[in-house]
Amino acid sequence: MSDLASVDWSRAQFALTAIYHFIFVPLTLGLSFIVAIMESIYVKTGSKQWLDITRFWLKLFGINFAIGVATGIIMEFEFGTNWANYSWFVGDIFGAPLAIEGLLAFFLESTFFAVMFFGWNKVSKKFHLVSTWLVAIGSNLSALWILIANGWMQYPIGMKFNPDTARMEMQNFLDVALNPVGIIKFLHTVTSGYSIAALFVIGISAWFLLKGRNVVMAKKSIVVAASFGLITSVFLLFSGDESAYQAANKQPMKLAAMEGLYKGQTNAGLVAMGILNPSKKAGDDKEAFLLELKVPYALGLMATRGINNFTPGIDDIIYGNEKEGIESAASKMEKGRLAVDALRAYKDAKKAGDESVMASSKQTLEQNLKFLGYGYIKNVEDLVPHVGLTFYSFHVMVALGTYFIALFALTLFMCLSSKFDIVNFKKLLWLCVFTIPLGFVAAEAGWIVAEVGRQPWVIQDLMTVGVGATNLADTNIKISVALFTILFTVLLIAEVKIMLKQIKIGFENHA
């Protein structure tokens, strides 16, 4: 097992890379489709105005796309540098969707990106339009395979453990590809990207309206973005509900942390807003909240899809609940140690050529394999993720998502209103401008819920982060963290400056 400080620094480095990378990704996912819709209108109408609109947003998309690719490549390399044990253990499975992403989706989007960006007046309108749609589809297919890989880490299925190599090997590709956690994670993540891109287009267009520049084109941009954002953000609510349901069934500890639920309840209420008790610990008698406002029955319905059903809390998952048939963490840890010891005995017996011990050890290992990761847990409290960070991130995400729906509806109404006047809607337009960063805040909060909420696991129940990390010197990781922080910050500043320059140019002069 890697040194704790080394593990924490490796986690910090990966978190830093992922947070920066996901500033660029959602804008790519959503803006690609918005640009495709705009170009479709141009091809249908032949309007020079729609051509200018399309080319303006396409330039902003291209700037973001280029920098997002750079941060993504660095993140994938970290699996080999900082998480070599993890990569060895499940590389046969985790590598497959990433390889498909690289061979199919990324090549699709990168190939047609050249036509989309540089092919104006070189190819026909329809071929250019097809290229734009293929870039949008390719970008989202890239996200599909990456999120399937991530979903598998949260709910590992479709594999078989090989004790001779101490590796997980893929047994059923369709189980991996159709993993319900991966599929709903994809749907929820890409639709959040659509909302972010819609907010981006609306906010910048609102700025043009406030400045009295390109008013007609800005209004048309808002109509497309607000319509797109309203439809996708409503779907975002449903995919979020399904994500919570999957967490309740596959990662109940995550759901309990999301809601600050320590003692399980029948017909549990959903915390609409609340302030956690910072001194609350698993197993004590302190109140979980200093202040809370609940929606009765809502959590139980979301977690179990029915009434009069029990939703387990942190204490139930850690200490067990015999009445509800919930096994204690201590019991799982004991089975995990049996699996670890059996694997070690199998390897020793193989070296000694003792087939009898090999057979018995393999049988014990297979019986307890699903608890393998618990064999490396020292204290049951280590199985509880950071409740405060998970809880507040979840509720910030939900609150902002609800606000976005209202904003999309209001801006759409504003632009379609026959009484539209910039002066009358000035406050709403400024609100649109200042909402641009809130979309990214909501997306990052969602990833904090997804990743912090599943700690200490790098692969749910099978491998902890301590086992999965490469045993590197702290100094080396600290240096790389510092360098990446500087590099990514420079890239982000560069993107913002280049985008601001293009925005100031306006909707014209994009030949």
Side-chain angles (χ1 to χ4, degrees):
M1 185 181 295
S2 299
D3 178 74
L4 183 60
S6 173
V7 172
D8 288 340
W9 276 105
S10 289
R11 290 176 63 194
Q13 179 175 301
F14 198 85
L16 171 76
T17 311
I19 285 171
Y20 267 98
H21 181 56
F22 210 71
I23 293 173
F24 309 110
V25 169
L27 196 54
T28 294
L29 296 175
L31 205 51
S32 63
F33 274 122
I34 291 176
V35 169
I37 292 169
M38 290 173 170
E39 187 175 350
S40 297
I41 298 173
Y42 157 64
V43 172
K44 179 71 175 177
T45 63
S47 167
K48 173 68 164 56
Q49 204 169 63
W50 276 108
L51 175 61
D52 289 338
I53 292 170
T54 302
R55 298 189 73 165
F56 172 74
W57 295 112
L58 177 59
K59 280 209 169 181
L60 298 185
F61 167 79
I63 295 164
N64 182 77
F65 179 88
I67 297 179
V69 169
T71 56
I73 291 172
I74 291 172
M75 188 165 65
E76 290 197 17
F77 278 128
E78 289 180 18
F79 287 112
T81 57
N82 294 67
W83 303 96
N85 295 333
Y86 161 82
S87 298
W88 166 261
F89 186 58
V90 295
D92 181 60
I93 305 162
F94 188 80
L98 294 186
I100 295 172
E101 185 268 337
L103 291 171
L104 298 180
F106 183 72
F107 279 135
L108 175 67
E109 61 180 313
S110 59
T111 298
F112 286 97
F113 176 86
V115 178
M116 179 182 73
F117 205 72
F118 303 108
W120 296 104
N121 303 321
K122 294 181 177 66
V123 298
S124 68
K125 287 182 181 180
K126 290 185 178 179
F127 186 78
H128 192 279
L129 177 62
V130 169
S131 298
T132 302
W133 276 104
L134 287 175
V135 169
I137 293 168
S139 299
N140 284 262
L141 283 177
S142 287
L144 169 65
W145 292 108
I146 291 168
L147 292 166
I148 281 174
N150 182 274
W152 182 87
M153 295 164 68
Q154 317 241 4
Y155 178 48
I157 56 174
M159 77 292 182
K160 185 176 182 180
F161 183 69
N162 185 341
D164 294 310
T165 60
R167 300 180 73 225
M168 287 290 182
E169 298 175 352
M170 187 180 297
Q171 193 172 32
N172 190 321
F173 175 75
L174 285 180
D175 285 348
V176 176
L178 301 178
N179 186 322
V181 174
I183 295 299
I184 197 60
K185 181 175 286 293
F186 164 72
L187 294 173
H188 191 59
T189 302
V190 296
T191 45
S192 74
Y194 302 159
S195 295
I196 289 170
L199 292 170
F200 178 80
V201 172
I202 289 170
I204 293 172
S205 301
W207 180 83
F208 278 106
L209 292 178
L210 289 164
K211 295 296 180 181
R213 294 179 56 194
N214 305 125
V215 172
V216 175
M217 287 187 280
K219 278 185 65 179
K220 288 183 175 181
S221 295
I222 289 179
V223 171
V224 171
S227 302
F228 183 72
L230 183 59
I231 294 169
T232 56
S233 61
V234 170
F235 180 80
L236 191 62
L237 281 180
F238 291 100
S239 63
D241 174 74
E242 181 63 22
S243 293
Y245 175 69
Q246 290 296 335
N249 285 273
K250 311 298 190 306
Q251 298 171 298
M253 179 63 80
K254 179 188 288 187
L255 183 74
M258 286 160 56
E259 280 297 296
L261 182 66
Y262 281 84
K263 297 186 184 299
Q265 300 171 19
T266 299
N267 296 325
L270 183 73
V271 179
M273 60 180 67
I275 300 175
L276 291 169
N277 182 351
S279 63
K280 172 65 177 174
K281 303 292 181 185
D284 65 24
D285 294 324
K286 296 178 181 179
E287 292 293 326
F289 288 88
L290 300 177
L291 178 68
E292 64 176 325
L293 176 64
K294 282 189 174 183
V295 180
Y297 288 85
L299 179 60
L301 286 169
M302 184 171 66
T304 68
R305 296 290 193 257
I307 60 172
N308 299 324
N309 295 323
F310 183 80
T311 303
I314 293 171
D315 290 349
D316 302 286
I317 298 166
I318 292 296
Y319 303 109
N321 185 323
E322 188 175 345
K323 179 182 176 183
E324 299 296 335
I326 300 173
E327 186 176 6
S328 70
S331 174
K332 293 178 180 178
M333 287 163 62
E334 180 59 33
K335 292 177 180 179
R337 284 190 284 270
L338 286 174
V340 172
D341 291 341
L343 177 58
R344 187 179 297 114
Y346 178 87
K347 289 182 176 179
D348 292 340
K350 184 179 179 181
K351 289 180 181 178
D354 191 334
E355 295 185 4
S356 176
V357 174
M358 284 176 63
S360 61
S361 299
K362 186 176 182 180
Q363 183 179 16
T364 302
L365 176 61
E366 290 174 349
Q367 290 172 347
N368 299 281
L369 183 62
K370 67 179 181 178
F371 303 106
L372 180 65
Y374 287 90
Y376 296 95
I377 299 294
K378 302 301 182 185
N379 303 298
V380 291
E381 290 78 13
D382 294 339
L383 292 164
V384 182
H386 194 294
V387 177
L389 188 55
T390 307
F391 173 85
Y392 289 117
S393 296
F394 174 68
H395 285 80
V396 165
M397 176 186 66
V398 172
L400 287 175
T402 306
Y403 159 65
F404 297 154
I405 293 176
L407 186 66
F408 289 138
L410 284 173
T411 52
L412 186 60
F413 169 79
M414 172 190 72
C415 286
L416 296 178
S417 172
S418 59
K419 299 179 180 179
F420 173 77
D421 183 87
I422 293 173
V423 175
N424 294 336
F425 289 99
K426 192 172 183 179
K427 290 183 179 179
L428 178 59
L429 291 171
W430 277 117
L431 185 62
C432 291
V433 174
F434 290 115
T435 298
I436 292 174
L438 294 183
F440 296 97
V441 170
E444 299 290 6
W447 274 109
I448 289 172
V449 173
E451 299 306 307
V452 174
R454 69 178 168 116
Q455 295 303 313
W457 305 110
V458 66
I459 306 170
Q460 186 70 37
D461 297 342
L462 295 177
M463 177 176 273
T464 63
V465 290
V467 175
T470 309
N471 191 14
L472 298 172
D474 293 356
T475 304
N476 294 338
I477 308 176
K478 290 176 184 177
I479 292 172
S480 63
V481 169
L483 291 174
F484 284 157
T485 302
I486 295 169
L487 174 62
F488 294 153
T489 303
V490 168
L491 286 173
L492 180 59
I493 293 171
E495 169 164 350
V496 173
K497 289 185 70 174
I498 296 169
M499 279 194 170
L500 288 176
K501 182 179 179 180
Q502 292 298 323
I503 290 166
K504 287 177 182 178
I505 292 173
F507 282 84
E508 295 92 3
N509 304 316
H510 290 280

